[in-house]
Amino acid sequence: MILEKVIPEINIQNEYKEFVDTYMDEVYAEFKTKIHSMYMCGSIPKGTATPFKSDADFTVVCENPADIDYEKLSEIKDRLLKKYPFVTKIDTIFCSIHDVINKPNEWGFWIKVICICVRGDDIGAKVPPIVISPAFILDLNTDTKEEVERVRHWLSNADDRPMQTRYIKGYSKRLLRALYSLILEDTGVWKDDMPDIKNDLLKYCGIDSSIIDDLYACYLDSDVSVEQFLRTADEAYRYIEQTLQAMAASGRSSER
């Protein structure tokens, strides 16, 4: 099975168009020839964003992410968040042309399947079709352990309740998506709407359904304590790690 694009066409709502154009204009003006193309994912390019609730998620493909002055980028973000207060946050990821082309199951997947090009030439067209397979699922989770450990550390050391809530929400979302990656051979499609992810997990995932329900509740800003959340999160990650290890072992056995 080949993964189809999550967002087949751009459908930005009128109230977000000026913000998107202004942000892209300022990023291009600041970094000029260093940028190859810009992409978006999430609710804004799909046309389902909710003012004062939805984030703006950009990805920039460039020759070398190390050439980007991230302090200048932060200044642009801060200025536009004041100008457009209905945007809750601006997330911008940078990746290299080399990684998109040479890591098709990681950055190639992100650009080709998850994102949609909003400015420049779509480099995702150069990425070969993404075929769902155990090897693809393993590649997709290459950085999962590192990301989970990093966010867990931040959450464990956060002493401000609003920050704890933000980390819990983000950590829940990351775990639910990692769990969803494990059932791609069952679903045949990548979904990024959390209610759909939850429903498919309850249908296909072998983990205890209460863990899925708890993670989803935390994603929706449940007032759970950090300690209680981490017990659920650790159990979910153990399942993810064990499933990936079994998948890798099965792949090695089939190669013999």
Side-chain angles (χ1 to χ4, degrees), residues 2-7 39 41 59 95 99-116 123-124 126-132 136-137 139-141 174 177 180-181 184 189-192:
I2 295 175
L3 280 174
E4 299 295 332
K5 205 167 186 65
V6 171
I7 308 172
Y39 305 77
C41 64
T59 297
C95 64
D99 282 349
V100 173
I101 300 300
N102 291 280
K103 297 180 180 180
N105 286 351
E106 297 171 53
W107 283 112
F109 158 77
W110 180 257
I111 294 298
K112 187 178 185 70
V113 176
I114 302 298
C115 296
I116 186 164
I123 197 171
K126 297 182 180 180
V127 177
I130 306 294
V131 179
I132 299 173
F136 164 68
I137 295 169
D139 283 348
L140 197 57
N141 284 283
R174 183 66 185 87
R177 283 181 167 171
Y180 187 78
S181 74
L184 278 175
V189 296
W190 184 272
K191 297 178 182 177
D192 66 352

Side-chain angles (χ1 to χ4, degrees), residues 12-61:
I12 299 173
Q13 295 144 278
N14 287 334
E15 58 262 50
Y16 286 92
K17 286 181 179 178
E18 181 182 310
F19 156 72
V20 171
D21 287 340
T22 302
Y23 183 68
M24 290 192 297
D25 287 346
E26 294 210 14
V27 170
Y28 266 87
E30 182 64 47
F31 303 112
K32 298 182 176 67
T33 58
K34 296 175 182 177
I35 294 178
H36 173 274
S37 45
M38 287 186 73
Y39 305 77
M40 291 193 76
C41 64
S43 60
I44 292 179
K46 285 195 296 184
T48 60
T50 302
F52 301 101
K53 289 187 178 180
S54 298
D55 300 343
D57 297 298
F58 293 88
T59 297
V60 179
V61 175

